[in-house]
């Protein structure tokens, strides 16, 4: 099993580009994920891109001579999840019933599925445009791989509990807020990594305790042992690159003053 969603018609999200992932630049690979409708295929493709990037099979961040391609304003999504307004999303409850615990896990899986797209969007939207160093790409490829693993683990846990990703409705407030920062890398880093992810870390210990208190140690361990510590590194990446941008701007201003 290669992890591909059997309901998806094609592996490539770009129907006009059938090149193997190893023949793409990283930004081109990011765009392919964003154009892929199935969240399961997004996760599996992310795993493949991460492996190719780490071993150097995808060697270039982007082609400076190629015309720039804007990421989609909204990533491709299939219809497995019924989208509703935030106020109409299922109530999660306190984890005291199997239904409540499934609702919590489904909500987390939905967040992680969007986090995959957000990771690739920051690569495709800002990497070349802001002339970011290779370490920036390294960090967000790793973030994307972590988010893909989180999604896959949460989706598998839902199946173990007799449900599946897509069984409940959800909202896309996370992506909507991302689009408000589409014109600024600094704003994206602050809003998505220093606010949204930080808030998620603030509430996750209480969520873990809900599962543990109600006898679902397996879900508690999944959140506590894997997702929580890796999300801490994602917040750190946001802070690190915000500081980098600030310091780079200060250096450029200093050079400008020196020339004057």
């Amino acid at each position: 099993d290669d992890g591909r969603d059997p309901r998806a018609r094609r592996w490539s999200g770009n129907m006009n580009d059938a090149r193997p992932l190893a023949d793409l630049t990283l930004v081109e690979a990011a765009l392919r994920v964003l154009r892929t409708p199935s969240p399961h295929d997004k996760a599996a493709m992310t795993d493949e891109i991460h492996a190719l990037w780490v071993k150097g099979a995808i060697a270039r961040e982007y082609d400076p001579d190629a015309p720039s391609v804007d990421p989609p304003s909204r990533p491709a999504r299939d219809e497995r999840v019924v989208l509703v307004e935030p106020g109409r999303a299922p109530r999660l409850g306190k984890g005291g019933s199997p239904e409540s615990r499934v609702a919590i896990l489904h909500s987390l899986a939905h967040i992680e599925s969007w986090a995959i797209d957000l990771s690739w969007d920051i690569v495709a939207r800002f990497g070349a445009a802001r002339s970011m160093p290779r370490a920036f790409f390294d960090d967000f490829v790793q973030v994307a791989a972590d988010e893909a693993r989180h999604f896959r683990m949460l989706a598998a846990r839902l199946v173990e509990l007799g449900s599946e990703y897509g069984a409940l409705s959800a909202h896309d407030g996370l992506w909507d807020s991302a689009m408000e920062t589409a014109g600024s890398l600094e704003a994206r880093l602050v809003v998505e990594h220093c606010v949204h992810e930080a808030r998620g870390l603030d509430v996750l210990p209480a969520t873990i305790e809900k599962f543990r208190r109600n006898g679902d140690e397996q879900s508690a361990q999944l959140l506590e042992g894997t997702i929580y510590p890796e999300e801490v590194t994602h917040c750190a990446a946001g802070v690190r690159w915000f500081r980098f941008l600030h310091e780079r701007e200060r250096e450029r201003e200093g050079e400008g003053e020196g020339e004057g």
Side-chain angles (χ1 to χ4, degrees), residues 113-127:
S113 76
W114 274 113
I116 297 170
D117 279 328
L118 284 166
S119 301
W120 291 121
D121 184 81
I122 203 171
V123 167
R125 188 175 300 276
F126 298 112

Side-chain angles (χ1 to χ4, degrees), residues 1-66:
D1 183 0
D2 61 6
R4 301 183 188 185
D5 188 338
R7 287 175 283 186
R9 290 181 299 168
R10 286 194 52 166
W11 179 244
S12 171
N14 182 351
M15 300 307 237
N16 298 318
D17 186 353
R19 290 178 294 165
L21 287 170
D23 291 347
L24 306 180
T25 67
L26 185 65
V27 166
E28 288 172 332
L31 290 168
R32 186 172 290 186
V33 177
L34 293 170
R35 294 169 181 151
T36 296
S38 163
H40 294 280
D41 279 358
K42 288 177 187 286
M45 192 182 299
T46 294
D47 290 343
E48 186 175 350
I49 295 168
H50 174 255
L52 291 169
W53 178 255
V54 168
K55 70 180 182 182
I58 295 178
R60 295 193 298 168
E61 297 96 327
Y62 54 89
D63 181 354
D65 298 322

